[in-house]
Amino acid sequence: MCRVFAGQDPEGYRQINRSIRIDGHSTSIQLEATFWALLDEIAENQGLTTPKFISKLYDEAIEINGAIPNFASMLRTTCALYLRGHRPGMEEQMVPKRQAA
């Protein structure tokens, strides 16, 4: 069972740093190559560049939550949500789950 995971190409978990401008400030974000590939895909599906998508995500998260304790982790969980089928436009479907919790 674990061979699928253990035998994966090391290129997928290679750390990559990208410099991005968020809220008017240049910052560097370090994620594994697989997460960057997913963020590129998500951004493209939204008709945005990856930096623009990340900046917009940051702004919306700040607006909703007031703070982001670990932005790199938020980006990783964004990828996980995307892989689980959550897409923009599904917010209405997700609201009852949040209210029930």
Side-chain angles (χ1 to χ4, degrees):
M1 171 182 87
C2 291
R3 289 186 179 273
V4 171
F5 304 117
Q8 67 182 292
D9 183 355
E11 183 62 24
Y13 53 86
R14 180 175 58 92
Q15 295 285 312
I16 297 175
N17 283 305
R18 287 194 189 176
S19 294
I20 294 179
R21 185 169 288 280
I22 297 176
D23 197 28
H25 303 288
S26 290
T27 189
S28 181
I29 299 172
Q30 182 178 40
L31 296 172
E32 296 75 13
T34 298
F35 289 112
W36 283 118
L38 283 165
L39 289 169
D40 291 342
E41 182 179 322
I42 296 167
E44 183 179 336
N45 288 338
Q46 294 297 302
L48 300 168
T49 64
T50 302
K52 185 69 175 172
F53 169 73
I54 290 172
S55 181
K56 187 173 182 137
L57 178 63
Y58 177 87
D59 290 343
E60 289 181 15
I62 291 293
E63 181 181 318
I64 293 167
N65 299 311
I68 305 168
N70 187 330
F71 192 57
S73 290
M74 183 187 166
L75 292 173
R76 288 183 188 93
T77 56
T78 295
C79 292
L81 287 169
Y82 176 78
L83 290 175
R84 294 177 98 184
H86 296 275
R87 303 289 191 271
M90 294 181 67
E91 298 88 294
E92 300 81 25
Q93 297 170 8
M94 293 172 61
V95 169
K97 289 181 184 176
R98 288 187 197 143
Q99 291 175 344

